[in-house]
Amino acid sequence: MPILIHPDPRLKKKAAPVADISDKLRVLADNMLSTMYDAPGIGLAAPQVGILERLIVLDCVKGEGEAPRPLVMFNPEVVAASDDLNTYEEGCLSIPEQFADVTRPAEVTVAWLDADGNPQQEDFDGLWATCVQHEIDHLEGKLFIDYLKPLRRQMITRKMVKLKREMART
Ligand code: NI
């Protein structure tokens, strides 16, 4: 699936809760996972493929030879966050080649519905905690560059405008 590149108005919109997990949405989740692995990336939110529904996919297993752990989350919600913070250098498939330090709660408890519609809840830390918060932000129309100082954000946005112009030309 083509991934939207910032700036795009669809990346700034709040996504709607999923009322009914249909087969169509399950297929979408599978396609999003393939798109994410192909990119390659560790997380992808539905608005990034132009679908304004509350669906994210992620897999932060990085080690060679480690079993993948694809997670599909409908209506994910952070229900608790630690006071402890963690800073990671974040990137985003919608903002290619740009990375910046973002500070977020180090541990979060997330509740969501799985692909079968069953409620799930889990504590995440490390890269998983950062990634799941980054993806949930996408559902609120928020990008990691929104945490940066305006000048830095504008600089990155200008680069993306230029990149999109070049992509449109080829
Ligand atoms: Ni992202």
Side-chain angles (χ1 to χ4, degrees):
M1 306 180 85
I3 297 173
L4 300 181
I5 305 296
H6 166 74
D8 187 297
R10 287 166 289 181
L11 293 172
K12 304 300 286 176
K13 290 216 174 86
K14 196 178 154 107
V18 174
D20 178 40
I21 301 168
S22 59
D23 283 342
K24 208 180 129 193
L25 281 173
R26 277 186 277 267
V27 170
L28 169 66
D30 280 344
N31 288 338
M32 282 171 58
L33 274 171
S34 317
T35 302
M36 178 192 86
Y37 286 125
D38 283 351
I42 57 172
L44 188 66
Q48 292 180 276
V49 290
I51 293 162
L52 289 170
E53 304 218 46
R54 300 187 83 82
L55 161 63
I56 63 172
V57 299
L58 62 158
D59 184 351
C60 301
V61 173
K62 284 206 303 189
E64 291 265 329
E66 268 181 81
R69 190 184 179 222
L71 281 182
V72 171
M73 299 182 175
F74 291 96
N75 301 337
E77 222 180 302
V78 174
V79 293
S82 64
D83 291 330
D84 277 355
L85 303 175
N86 209 344
T87 301
Y88 259 102
E89 191 180 52
E90 294 191 22
C92 181
L93 294 176
S94 293
I95 311 174
E97 312 279 304
Q98 303 298 318
F99 303 92
D101 281 349
V102 177
T103 300
R104 302 177 185 271
E107 286 165 48
V108 287
T109 305
V110 178
W112 73 93
L113 296 175
D114 67 19
D116 297 315
N118 297 318
Q120 303 286 343
Q121 187 168 305
E122 193 174 320
D123 297 333
F124 294 98
D125 62 12
L127 182 58
W128 284 90
T130 289
C131 183
V132 75
Q133 291 175 80
H134 173 122
E135 299 313 326
I136 291 173
D137 273 355
H138 274 296
L139 305 179
E140 297 296 317
K142 193 167 185 183
L143 302 171
F144 82 89
I145 55 170
D146 293 328
Y147 291 92
L148 309 179
K149 292 200 173 78
L151 265 178
R152 182 85 197 278
R153 183 165 63 241
Q154 284 156 21
M155 203 175 78
I156 291 176
T157 299
R158 272 201 299 274
K159 278 187 188 156
M160 292 301 104
V161 169
K162 208 176 141 207
L163 174 73
K164 286 176 84 172
R165 218 183 288 137
E166 280 163 11
M167 283 163 67
R169 231 184 277 137
T170 51

